[in-house]
Amino acid sequence: MSSTGELRHTALDALHRSLGATMTDFAGWDMPLRYGSERDEHIAVRTKAGLFDLSHMGEITVTGPQASALLDFALVGNIGGVKPGRARYTMICRADGGILDDLIVYRLGETEYMVVANASNAQVVLDALTERAAGFDAEVRDDRDAYALIAVQGPESSGILASLTDADLDGLKYYAGLPGTVAGVPALIARTGYTGEDGFELFVKPEHAVELWQALTKAGEGVGLVPCGLSCRDTLRLEAGMPLYGHELSTSLTPFDAGLGRVVKFEKEGDFVGRAALREAAENANHEPPRVLVGLIAEGRRVPRAGYAVVAEGKVIGEVTSGAPSPTLGKPIAMAYVDAVYSTPGTAGVGVDIRGSHEPYEVVALPFYQRQK
């Protein structure tokens, strides 16, 4: 939200409206929810390709001789160990171990990094990094207005992008980024994603966003590329078992509570914010895990929503964090935190309380969907 309380608009705002997008307020940004059928958009990403505007994400640049040291202190991951041109999924935590946000950090050069935060937490992350930079020879810069971010996701994405760039896409590994030119536009080409499919994110100057979107649209015409909104992005990430901040992640949970303790690197040198609390959380998780994040697949047709109680043997055993109809499975699905004793796939007698009715659900391991590589 801008200081005047008005919604922020991406560089592609007019284009979205010209395409008939249904717009929605997302973390203070006016973003496309869907262009037509969210189910059709979802299936296009799974089978062909989808084009997303992700310009609401928060880019923060960290530079200077001690940029690595600052990020190793401020975040839970081993950021100094990331090679230039590679990226890492990590988290920023409070001193008590609670998750402030999950992040992707790109190492652009020896002393330059780009931290990409969720739109809803971008200011929180910026403030925390700025505060934690005290005493380090490093600069933290708010670059949210310096970038537009366009993603092309799906099995056809590589071919579409290859027709517009001479960058070495075949050599670009998952969780890596390289500078290149796409349709004549300078871009940082990254291969990450939030859909469970192969795909690319293109960081460009806002003034180049419309030109790039149109070039990608034209290049994808023959292979079924469609514009996609936030609604199908949510069902895609849910099928892929990927967490969403505010649902599966929050300040009341540590990475170990969320089943993502692997991102915490105790072996790195020096202290980092939350180390002591996270060490304790790791030990507790080893002895007696708290609630465990699981997948639930409906036996009926009723859709579970965040906040609904998970029940078994007449008592509440957990809570749904995300739920939606799954276009790929053809059934409603959910992620939920449940008591560890009920977390084994196939556990009988588990249901979700949907408006007073206990609907039967199957407990499954995450993710619900994994692409064939």
Side-chain angles (χ1 to χ4, degrees), residues 134-183:
F136 288 94
D137 186 4
E139 181 197 349
V140 176
R141 188 172 72 235
D142 180 359
D143 269 348
R144 282 177 287 180
D145 294 334
Y147 292 102
L149 179 56
I150 296 173
V152 55
Q153 293 276 313
E156 300 286 351
S157 59
S158 186
I160 292 167
L161 196 56
S163 71
L164 297 173
T165 184
D166 57 7
D168 178 17
L169 299 183
D170 289 340
L172 186 64
K173 295 184 171 74
Y174 188 51
Y175 267 73
L178 84 169
T181 304
V182 182

Side-chain angles (χ1 to χ4, degrees), residues 44-50 152-158 195 197-200:
V45 175
R46 285 276 177 261
T47 59
K48 295 165 185 170
V152 55
Q153 293 276 313
E156 300 286 351
S157 59
S158 186
T195 63
E197 299 299 335
D198 188 19
F200 302 85

Side-chain angles (χ1 to χ4, degrees), residues 64-82:
Q66 290 190 299
S68 294
L70 162 59
L71 290 172
D72 275 338
F73 169 71
L75 311 180
V76 301
N78 179 4
I79 308 305
V82 178

Side-chain angles (χ1 to χ4, degrees), residues 58-147:
E59 296 87 4
I60 300 161
T61 302
V62 181
T63 56
Q66 290 190 299
S68 294
L70 162 59
L71 290 172
D72 275 338
F73 169 71
L75 311 180
V76 301
N78 179 4
I79 308 305
V82 178
K83 292 184 169 68
R86 298 307 302 266
R88 184 152 296 168
Y89 176 76
T90 187
M91 294 184 183
I92 182 167
C93 290
R94 302 192 307 194
D96 67 0
I99 303 165
L100 285 172
D101 201 15
D102 61 335
L103 312 164
I104 296 178
V105 179
Y106 296 90
R107 188 166 194 170
L108 304 180
E110 201 55 45
T111 60
E112 184 178 6
Y113 294 82
M114 180 167 66
V115 177
V116 182
N118 286 298
S120 56
N121 295 328
Q123 191 63 48
V124 168
V125 174
L126 178 68
D127 292 346
L129 286 175
T130 302
E131 183 185 321
R132 294 174 190 187
F136 288 94
D137 186 4
E139 181 197 349
V140 176
R141 188 172 72 235
D142 180 359
D143 269 348
R144 282 177 287 180
D145 294 334
Y147 292 102

Side-chain angles (χ1 to χ4, degrees), residues 49-359:
L51 193 57
F52 296 83
D53 179 9
L54 303 182
S55 304
H56 59 312
M57 300 295 281
E59 296 87 4
I60 300 161
T61 302
V62 181
T63 56
Q66 290 190 299
S68 294
L70 162 59
L71 290 172
D72 275 338
F73 169 71
L75 311 180
V76 301
N78 179 4
I79 308 305
V82 178
K83 292 184 169 68
R86 298 307 302 266
R88 184 152 296 168
Y89 176 76
T90 187
M91 294 184 183
I92 182 167
C93 290
R94 302 192 307 194
D96 67 0
I99 303 165
L100 285 172
D101 201 15
D102 61 335
L103 312 164
I104 296 178
V105 179
Y106 296 90
R107 188 166 194 170
L108 304 180
E110 201 55 45
T111 60
E112 184 178 6
Y113 294 82
M114 180 167 66
V115 177
V116 182
N118 286 298
S120 56
N121 295 328
Q123 191 63 48
V124 168
V125 174
L126 178 68
D127 292 346
L129 286 175
T130 302
E131 183 185 321
R132 294 174 190 187
F136 288 94
D137 186 4
E139 181 197 349
V140 176
R141 188 172 72 235
D142 180 359
D143 269 348
R144 282 177 287 180
D145 294 334
Y147 292 102
L149 179 56
I150 296 173
V152 55
Q153 293 276 313
E156 300 286 351
S157 59
S158 186
I160 292 167
L161 196 56
S163 71
L164 297 173
T165 184
D166 57 7
D168 178 17
L169 299 183
D170 289 340
L172 186 64
K173 295 184 171 74
Y174 188 51
Y175 267 73
L178 84 169
T181 304
V182 182
V185 170
L188 172 66
I189 305 167
R191 194 172 209 154
T192 57
Y194 194 55
T195 63
E197 299 299 335
D198 188 19
F200 302 85
E201 287 70 46
L202 306 170
F203 294 86
V204 299
K205 289 183 177 176
E207 57 265 32
H208 294 148
V210 170
E211 173 189 349
L212 180 58
W213 180 282
Q214 290 171 336
L216 288 162
T217 300
K218 193 166 190 316
E221 272 173 1
V223 292
L225 175 79
V226 300
C228 293
L230 292 178
S231 186
C232 86
R233 189 166 182 252
D234 192 48
T235 52
L236 289 160
R237 71 93 196 167
L238 177 54
E239 287 184 352
M242 293 181 174
L244 176 63
Y245 197 89
H247 289 256
E248 289 73 40
L249 308 175
S250 71
T251 51
S252 65
L253 296 168
T254 72
F256 294 94
D257 295 328
L260 291 165
R262 66 179 188 277
V263 305
V264 181
K265 304 300 183 187
F266 293 115
E267 69 273 18
K268 65 179 175 176
E269 284 181 26
D271 195 15
F272 63 89
V273 177
R275 182 191 269 274
L278 289 168
R279 175 64 78 188
E280 192 177 327
E283 286 166 6
N284 290 343
N286 285 337
H287 297 311
E288 191 179 331
R291 284 183 166 173
V292 177
L293 189 65
V294 300
L296 298 173
I297 299 180
E299 292 179 21
R301 310 301 309 167
R302 297 184 75 183
V303 179
R305 298 295 182 193
Y308 285 11
V310 182
V311 292
E313 300 172 344
K315 62 184 181 187
V316 174
I317 60 152
E319 186 176 298
V320 171
T321 53
S322 297
S326 164
T328 305
L329 276 62
K331 297 176 180 179
I333 60 172
M335 286 199 278
Y337 281 107
V338 301
D339 293 346
V341 70
Y342 297 96
S343 65
T344 306
T347 299
V350 173
V352 175
D353 186 338
I354 300 180
R355 298 188 187 89
S357 170
H358 290 186
E359 301 289 326

